[in-house]
Amino acid sequence: HPFDDGNGRIARAIADLVGPAPVRLIVGMSRAGTTWVSKELSRHPAVLSYGETMVWGRKYRETDNADGSYSIELTRSRILLPADYIDEYVGYATDGENSERYEAGKLGHIDLDTLRAISSELRACAQAVTSPMTPRAIFEQTNRVFAKHTGSSIVIESTPNHLNFLDRILGAMPDAKIV
């Protein structure tokens, strides 16, 4: 079986990701194998791993409301981040000179029509925002959109750089499962 290493470790690792926490992340040092882990987990039919969004790191913005939520305008811009990231990757995939970058990236295992549908739905979600949202709510919404369009019951975001921001991630999502 492709998900059995003979010792049951891979199956146990996947089982550990299943649980009440809707938020799952892969973090690590650059060039330490996070893309490989992401792709291997995505080989399981119930799992989708996507990544390099930088939403908790370089592209993170502090909330601007006292209750820990973003204003409506900032909520919209935060929802658009993964859509912009997807559109950039779709551009690489359709550009003969950069298609290798797409294939090697953390979205290369998702077909282009599905990526376009995810981006389109995220853009619709951003336009439909009528109230402030927390970083966690936005992150969970993004994962639900990925799950809906890929049929995956387990969605994992994988960005190595997020290792440097575990305090921020766990502050917003203390029940997150992190590999």
Side-chain angles (χ1 to χ4, degrees), residues 54-90:
M54 304 293 181
V55 296
W56 294 104
R58 190 174 6 159
K59 295 184 179 181
Y60 182 80
R61 297 294 171 265
E62 292 294 330
T63 58
D64 52 351
N65 289 333
D67 66 356
S69 65
Y70 291 117
S71 64
I72 291 173
E73 191 58 37
L74 199 47
T75 294
R76 288 183 178 131
S77 73
R78 305 312 299 162
I79 293 170
L80 290 174
L81 279 176
D84 292 342
Y85 166 72
I86 289 167
D87 292 346
E88 180 182 354
Y89 261 74
V90 168

Side-chain angles (χ1 to χ4, degrees), residues 48 114 117-118 120-122 124-125 140-155:
L48 170 73
T114 301
I118 292 168
S120 178
E121 183 164 342
L122 289 170
C125 288
E140 289 174 339
Q141 179 182 45
T142 299
N143 285 353
R144 282 191 303 274
V145 171
F146 270 91
K148 173 185 169 184
H149 288 279
T150 62
S152 303
S153 58
I154 300 171
V155 178

Side-chain angles (χ1 to χ4, degrees), residues 7 45 47 56 75 84 122 131 158 163:
N7 297 317
V47 177
W56 294 104
T75 294
D84 292 342
L122 289 170
S131 60
S158 173
L163 176 67

